[in-house]
Amino acid sequence: MASTATTPPPYGASEQLEPLVRRVLARNPSPFTFTGTQSYIVGGGGEVAVIDPGPDEEDHIAALVKAIGNARVVAILCTHTHHDHSPAAAPLAALTGAKVVGCAPLSLVDDGPRADASFDTGYHPDHVLMDGDSVTGEGFTLTAVATPGHTSNHLCYALEGTGALFSGDHVMGWSTTVVSPPDGDMSDYMASLEKLQTRGDRIYYPAHGPAVTKPSQFVRGIIGHRRQRENQILRLLEPGSSTIAALVPQMYAAVNPALHPAAGRSVLAHLIDLERRGRVRREADAGDLWAVAG
Ligand SMILES: [Zn+2]
């Protein structure tokens, strides 16, 4: 998706986006995080919640504490447990006395090697929210919207009565999300996009990049983009079997080569999804060698 050029706001400042929503940008810009992780402070009265406290960096945590001021923190919520989202949860909880509530930790023992180096293994929530569970503070209610795909434990949070949805890394204003198997799952991701389409939200506040002001149109665009990628893979496999390493440069010629390994993860996610649907098959035991099925 096209990225939108915006001037990055000053790192560490508390920006008021609407009556119940403030944003504090962490200084962790990268090709994967755009200008950095955006932590959100929700609530306008004596109580607030913090969504995606971000990386465990002293400056950022100090900026959050300053923005929180004298308000009571009713919950620290994470959308998922990638390194740029959840590591500040524990230190912020220690400083504010708040509970860490939200997405599930990944169970490495039970789920096998689902988590890779990008996961925060130090994440230990006090309470896990399921789809539809809510957290309430003075003047606001946040409801979890389960949106697996980018990660299996991804939650968005709806700010009830306002039409605002905190979309984490599921839908971002600057780039399509990376779906990296085995924890990332393209079938789940597409189903989670369809799920958002049924909601009719007014605005999305993602963890990276500008707010999405026409969510329905935007999500329809992402679904279309993924279907195009899928068709492109099927077309490129038409003449014979191929590898992800050979597909990526053809599919992502316009994309910064530094991002090609991540793009390769999303291509793998598409291939696994297509394999489940009987559209492609793996050549024998060759691993990364794929062909059109039948
Ligand atoms: Zn992520």
Side-chain angles (χ1 to χ4, degrees):
M1 306 294 288
S3 64
T4 309
T6 53
T7 308
Y11 289 109
S14 169
E15 300 170 274
Q16 190 88 44
L17 304 181
E18 56 181 275
L20 290 175
V21 181
R22 285 178 290 153
R23 171 174 64 188
V24 179
L25 176 65
R27 194 187 293 276
N28 61 338
S30 81
F32 295 99
T33 61
F34 194 47
T35 55
T37 303
Q38 300 173 127
S39 301
Y40 292 98
I41 298 175
V42 176
E47 293 184 332
V48 297
V50 178
I51 298 177
D52 279 345
D56 183 4
E57 283 172 17
E58 220 171 289
D59 286 5
H60 184 58
I61 293 169
L64 289 174
V65 167
K66 187 176 169 207
I68 291 162
N70 293 325
R72 189 176 87 87
V73 183
V74 295
I76 298 165
L77 302 128
C78 299
T79 57
H80 64 300
T81 46
H82 275 152
H83 267 315
D84 51 325
H85 294 259
S86 54
L92 189 63
L95 287 168
T96 60
K99 292 265 185 273
V100 178
V101 172
C103 69
L106 287 180
S107 170
L108 306 183
V109 178
D110 297 347
D111 298 343
R114 294 181 71 87
D116 55 35
S118 59
F119 280 88
D120 168 20
T121 52
Y123 172 75
H124 300 294
D126 296 294
H127 178 61
V128 171
L129 295 180
M130 310 300 281
D131 185 49
D133 287 351
S134 292
V135 166
T136 302
E138 187 187 327
F140 69 90
T141 298
L142 288 163
T143 301
V145 182
T147 39
H150 172 63
T151 59
S152 60
N153 62 352
H154 195 288
L155 299 176
C156 294
Y157 296 103
L159 181 53
E160 297 296 344
T162 69
L165 182 85
F166 298 91
S167 58
D169 281 5
H170 178 52
V171 175
M172 297 185 285
W174 73 287
S175 164
T176 52
T177 191
V178 173
V179 178
S180 180
D183 190 63
D185 186 301
M186 190 61 75
S187 319
D188 286 351
Y189 175 65
M190 295 300 282
S192 292
L193 289 174
E194 301 281 356
K195 180 178 185 175
L196 291 197
Q197 281 298 66
T198 65
R199 292 183 45 84
D201 293 303
R202 168 180 58 89
I203 190 167
Y204 291 170
Y205 293 117
H208 310 282
V212 175
T213 53
K214 290 183 178 157
S216 177
Q217 197 177 316
F218 193 80
V219 171
R220 201 170 338 127
I222 297 176
I223 293 170
H225 174 73
R226 290 299 185 179
R227 292 290 172 228
Q228 274 175 17
R229 286 294 190 207
E230 189 178 293
N231 289 332
Q232 197 180 9
I233 289 169
L234 290 169
R235 224 173 28 246
L236 289 169
L237 291 179
E238 207 49 65
S241 54
S242 187
T243 64
I244 292 170
L247 291 170
V248 167
Q250 302 176 76
M251 295 175 63
Y252 293 87
V255 170
N256 177 356
L259 296 175
H260 280 190
R265 303 306 297 172
S266 286
V267 172
L268 173 61
H270 271 300
L271 286 164
I272 292 169
D273 178 46
L274 287 165
E275 184 183 35
R276 277 185 200 141
R277 289 154 52 204
R279 305 288 303 276
V280 305
R281 59 183 169 79
R282 276 177 224 246
E283 295 279 33
D285 296 330
D288 178 27
L289 187 61
W290 300 81
V292 174

